[in-house]
Amino acid sequence: MANMPSAASLVSIRAQLADVIESARRFPQANAAACRVDLALYRETSEMGYFESAERYCNRALTLDRQDPEVHVPLGGLYRASGQLDLALSSLELATSLAPFSTAALRELALMLDKRGDFAAAEVQLLKALEIEPNGWRNYHELSGLHFRAVTTHRPRTTTISKWPCCQTTPGRSTTSVRGYSESLIESDANFDSALNRPVTTTMEEP
């Protein structure tokens, strides 16, 4: 299983991207990648300097290419982190329309929808990501996290999840009680564990 980059690794990646941007200032993807790295560092450390740097990189990437989904995904994450959920929704919906098969965009959109309290819509986006990338461990990770938050907040859960074979629940199981949530969460975690034993895809993971 691939691990999330450590803060030290992110700092190293950040330095490398700074060199790339210095030598190719009109490379929007490099600025978008730098935005993702600084956003990850902000989430890891809560240091506002990283947030402000991520914002600068995203804005620079936007001035270079407003139609690049790789720009709008980290921008949506930036807006989500700052609580600007309407702007996050706008950026991420644009990203998914420009790149409908981007699992990174679908996961970020799901996280934003979950933050808005729309569990059902968030679940739909993660199921789409799983359909596109069934061996993607991050998809299972986010889906398990979504179900865990539903359990802990006692939010109503839809039956959408039962339509996805890897996450089917036992027929007749209640999904309207805390016990039903817990049982479904156990199954979701089991499906996540099983994903770790599947062949790993070689696509590059974003920080």
Side-chain angles (χ1 to χ4, degrees), residues 45-96:
T45 66
S46 299
E47 292 184 15
M48 282 304 299
Y50 288 129
F51 182 91
E52 292 165 357
S53 179
E55 190 172 30
R56 285 195 299 272
Y57 280 124
C58 270
N59 287 332
R60 188 181 301 167
L62 274 178
T63 63
L64 296 172
D65 189 352
R66 288 189 171 273
Q67 297 302 308
D68 187 346
E70 290 189 25
V71 174
H72 289 282
V73 173
L75 183 63
L78 191 69
Y79 285 140
R80 178 172 67 87
S82 63
Q84 301 178 77
L85 300 186
D86 288 340
L87 291 174
L89 178 62
S90 178
S91 289
L92 293 167
E93 285 184 337
L94 178 56
T96 54

Side-chain angles (χ1 to χ4, degrees), residues 85-87 89 110-119 155:
L85 300 186
D86 288 340
L87 291 174
L89 178 62
L111 291 171
M112 189 284 305
L113 291 167
D114 183 41
K115 190 167 184 177
R116 283 177 57 144
D118 194 343
F119 172 85
R155 282 184 287 177

Side-chain angles (χ1 to χ4, degrees), residues 23 26 69 92 99 116 140-141 146 178 205:
S23 60
R26 301 192 64 79
L92 293 167
R116 283 177 57 144
Y140 287 93
H141 174 76
L146 181 69
V178 174
E205 292 283 0

